[in-house]
Amino acid sequence: MNVELYERIWMWVAAGLLALFLCAIFVSAGVNAIQPPSHVETVDPTTLATNPEFGTPGVKAQPDGSVVVSVVAQMFSFSPDPVEVPANRPVTFRLTSPDVIHGFEVVGTNANAMVIPGYVSQFTVTFKNPGEYLIGCNEYCGTMHHNMVGKLIVKKESQ
Ligand SMILES: [Cu+2]
């Protein structure tokens, strides 16, 4: 079979691009821990106020030193706000919404999830750098969406 030189070159370029993009996926998943959500848990969005966990959202320290943060995102704020977590410890965020879809992004980190009514979005991150971080809603949720921000305070571990 005779394949033209230029056609052969473009086939190799296309194959190279495919390999490059595939590598980019594996690198971002493996090195930067950017992965699709895999946690499926449901919650009744109409009774969140009386839910044992999300009725009183907040930061709960675990016996193993890690931290679980339950967050309710609703038009147009996050609760609790600010969120205070320790640095260099696993922080598991559990997020849900009683009204519409929101986003939860800790700006400058890879903490980023969609918050869907009826579901609990969960992910675990470790913040290495103490300081104040902006939490933003990155899913358009209504007229005051642009004001839906919160604050995350990562505190240096006291030893
Ligand atoms: Cu929003």
Short mmCIF file of all heavy atoms in Angstrom, two decimals, residues 39-45 48 54 71 94-98 114-122:
data_model
loop_
_atom_site.label_atom_id
_atom_site.label_comp_id
_atom_site.label_asym_id
_atom_site.label_seq_id
_atom_site.Cartn_x
_atom_site.Cartn_y
_atom_site.Cartn_z
N HIS A 39 -17.89 9.92 44.32
CA HIS A 39 -18.62 9.69 45.57
C HIS A 39 -20.10 9.94 45.32
O HIS A 39 -20.50 11.03 44.98
CB HIS A 39 -18.07 10.66 46.62
CG HIS A 39 -18.76 10.55 47.94
ND1 HIS A 39 -18.41 9.61 48.86
CD2 HIS A 39 -19.77 11.25 48.48
CE1 HIS A 39 -19.17 9.76 49.93
NE2 HIS A 39 -20.01 10.74 49.72
N VAL A 40 -20.93 8.93 45.46
CA VAL A 40 -22.36 9.12 45.23
C VAL A 40 -23.10 8.90 46.54
O VAL A 40 -23.10 7.81 47.10
CB VAL A 40 -22.90 8.15 44.16
CG1 VAL A 40 -24.40 8.35 44.00
CG2 VAL A 40 -22.20 8.38 42.84
N GLU A 41 -23.67 9.96 47.05
CA GLU A 41 -24.42 9.90 48.30
C GLU A 41 -25.57 10.89 48.18
O GLU A 41 -25.38 12.02 47.73
CB GLU A 41 -23.49 10.31 49.45
CG GLU A 41 -24.14 10.26 50.81
CD GLU A 41 -23.18 10.72 51.92
OE1 GLU A 41 -21.95 10.68 51.73
OE2 GLU A 41 -23.69 11.13 52.97
N THR A 42 -26.74 10.48 48.55
CA THR A 42 -27.89 11.37 48.39
C THR A 42 -28.34 11.89 49.75
O THR A 42 -28.06 11.30 50.80
CB THR A 42 -29.07 10.65 47.72
OG1 THR A 42 -29.38 9.48 48.45
CG2 THR A 42 -28.74 10.28 46.28
N VAL A 43 -29.04 13.03 49.71
CA VAL A 43 -29.57 13.65 50.91
C VAL A 43 -30.83 14.38 50.48
O VAL A 43 -30.92 14.85 49.34
CB VAL A 43 -28.51 14.59 51.55
CG1 VAL A 43 -28.18 15.76 50.65
CG2 VAL A 43 -28.95 15.09 52.92
N ASP A 44 -31.82 14.46 51.38
CA ASP A 44 -33.08 15.14 51.03
C ASP A 44 -32.88 16.65 51.12
O ASP A 44 -32.68 17.17 52.21
CB ASP A 44 -34.18 14.68 51.99
CG ASP A 44 -35.53 15.30 51.62
OD1 ASP A 44 -35.58 16.11 50.66
OD2 ASP A 44 -36.52 14.96 52.29
N PRO A 45 -32.93 17.36 50.00
CA PRO A 45 -32.66 18.80 50.04
C PRO A 45 -33.76 19.59 50.75
O PRO A 45 -33.53 20.72 51.17
CB PRO A 45 -32.57 19.20 48.56
CG PRO A 45 -33.32 18.15 47.83
CD PRO A 45 -33.20 16.89 48.64
N LEU A 48 -32.91 19.74 54.81
CA LEU A 48 -31.51 19.99 55.21
C LEU A 48 -31.42 20.66 56.57
O LEU A 48 -30.51 20.39 57.35
CB LEU A 48 -30.81 20.88 54.17
CG LEU A 48 -30.16 20.19 52.97
CD1 LEU A 48 -29.24 21.17 52.28
CD2 LEU A 48 -29.39 18.96 53.40
N PHE A 54 -26.05 18.43 58.09
CA PHE A 54 -26.10 19.70 57.37
C PHE A 54 -27.01 20.73 58.05
O PHE A 54 -27.04 21.89 57.64
CB PHE A 54 -26.50 19.47 55.92
CG PHE A 54 -25.46 18.70 55.16
CD1 PHE A 54 -25.63 17.36 54.87
CD2 PHE A 54 -24.30 19.32 54.76
CE1 PHE A 54 -24.66 16.65 54.19
CE2 PHE A 54 -23.31 18.63 54.09
CZ PHE A 54 -23.50 17.29 53.80
N VAL A 71 -20.51 21.60 54.44
CA VAL A 71 -20.83 22.93 53.92
C VAL A 71 -22.18 22.89 53.22
O VAL A 71 -22.48 21.98 52.45
CB VAL A 71 -19.76 23.40 52.91
CG1 VAL A 71 -20.13 24.75 52.32
CG2 VAL A 71 -18.39 23.47 53.56
N ARG A 94 -17.57 18.05 52.57
CA ARG A 94 -18.85 17.42 52.21
C ARG A 94 -19.83 18.56 51.93
O ARG A 94 -20.11 19.36 52.82
CB ARG A 94 -19.33 16.52 53.34
CG ARG A 94 -18.45 15.27 53.49
CD ARG A 94 -18.77 14.49 54.74
NE ARG A 94 -20.18 14.19 54.88
CZ ARG A 94 -20.84 13.21 54.22
NH1 ARG A 94 -20.19 12.46 53.37
NH2 ARG A 94 -22.13 13.02 54.40
N LEU A 95 -20.29 18.63 50.70
CA LEU A 95 -21.05 19.79 50.26
C LEU A 95 -22.42 19.38 49.76
O LEU A 95 -22.56 18.36 49.09
CB LEU A 95 -20.32 20.50 49.12
CG LEU A 95 -18.81 20.66 49.24
CD1 LEU A 95 -18.17 20.68 47.88
CD2 LEU A 95 -18.48 21.93 49.98
N THR A 96 -23.42 20.20 50.07
CA THR A 96 -24.72 19.99 49.46
C THR A 96 -25.45 21.32 49.39
O THR A 96 -24.97 22.33 49.93
CB THR A 96 -25.55 18.93 50.20
OG1 THR A 96 -26.65 18.55 49.37
CG2 THR A 96 -26.06 19.45 51.53
N SER A 97 -26.58 21.31 48.70
CA SER A 97 -27.34 22.54 48.47
C SER A 97 -28.83 22.26 48.64
O SER A 97 -29.32 21.21 48.23
CB SER A 97 -27.07 23.03 47.05
OG SER A 97 -28.08 23.91 46.63
N PRO A 98 -29.56 23.20 49.26
CA PRO A 98 -31.01 23.02 49.37
C PRO A 98 -31.79 23.61 48.20
O PRO A 98 -32.99 23.38 48.07
CB PRO A 98 -31.35 23.77 50.66
CG PRO A 98 -30.33 24.85 50.72
CD PRO A 98 -29.10 24.35 50.02
N MET A 114 -18.75 20.62 42.08
CA MET A 114 -20.11 21.08 41.82
C MET A 114 -20.97 20.66 43.00
O MET A 114 -20.80 19.58 43.54
CB MET A 114 -20.60 20.40 40.53
CG MET A 114 -21.77 21.08 39.87
SD MET A 114 -22.32 20.07 38.49
CE MET A 114 -21.87 21.12 37.15
N VAL A 115 -21.86 21.55 43.43
CA VAL A 115 -22.73 21.26 44.57
C VAL A 115 -24.15 21.11 44.04
O VAL A 115 -24.73 22.06 43.52
CB VAL A 115 -22.67 22.39 45.62
CG1 VAL A 115 -23.41 21.99 46.87
CG2 VAL A 115 -21.22 22.74 45.94
N ILE A 116 -24.69 19.91 44.16
CA ILE A 116 -25.96 19.58 43.51
C ILE A 116 -27.01 19.26 44.57
O ILE A 116 -26.76 18.43 45.45
CB ILE A 116 -25.77 18.38 42.57
CG1 ILE A 116 -24.64 18.68 41.57
CG2 ILE A 116 -27.06 18.04 41.84
CD1 ILE A 116 -24.16 17.47 40.81
N PRO A 117 -28.18 19.91 44.52
CA PRO A 117 -29.24 19.59 45.48
C PRO A 117 -29.57 18.11 45.44
O PRO A 117 -29.70 17.53 44.36
CB PRO A 117 -30.43 20.43 45.01
CG PRO A 117 -29.87 21.47 44.10
CD PRO A 117 -28.61 20.92 43.54
N GLY A 118 -29.69 17.49 46.61
CA GLY A 118 -30.03 16.08 46.66
C GLY A 118 -28.82 15.16 46.73
O GLY A 118 -28.96 13.98 46.99
N TYR A 119 -27.63 15.74 46.50
CA TYR A 119 -26.42 14.93 46.53
C TYR A 119 -25.39 15.54 47.48
O TYR A 119 -25.40 16.75 47.73
CB TYR A 119 -25.79 14.82 45.14
CG TYR A 119 -26.61 13.98 44.20
CD1 TYR A 119 -27.62 14.57 43.44
CD2 TYR A 119 -26.41 12.62 44.10
CE1 TYR A 119 -28.41 13.80 42.59
CE2 TYR A 119 -27.19 11.85 43.26
CZ TYR A 119 -28.18 12.44 42.51
OH TYR A 119 -28.95 11.68 41.68
N VAL A 120 -24.51 14.69 47.99
CA VAL A 120 -23.40 15.16 48.79
C VAL A 120 -22.15 15.03 47.94
O VAL A 120 -21.79 13.93 47.52
CB VAL A 120 -23.25 14.34 50.09
CG1 VAL A 120 -22.05 14.81 50.88
CG2 VAL A 120 -24.52 14.42 50.93
N SER A 121 -21.52 16.17 47.64
CA SER A 121 -20.25 16.15 46.92
C SER A 121 -19.14 16.05 47.95
O SER A 121 -19.11 16.82 48.90
CB SER A 121 -20.05 17.42 46.11
OG SER A 121 -21.14 17.64 45.26
N GLN A 122 -18.25 15.11 47.76
CA GLN A 122 -17.19 14.92 48.76
C GLN A 122 -15.84 14.80 48.10
O GLN A 122 -15.69 14.12 47.09
CB GLN A 122 -17.49 13.67 49.59
CG GLN A 122 -16.42 13.37 50.63
CD GLN A 122 -16.81 12.19 51.51
OE1 GLN A 122 -17.90 12.13 52.03
NE2 GLN A 122 -15.90 11.24 51.66
#
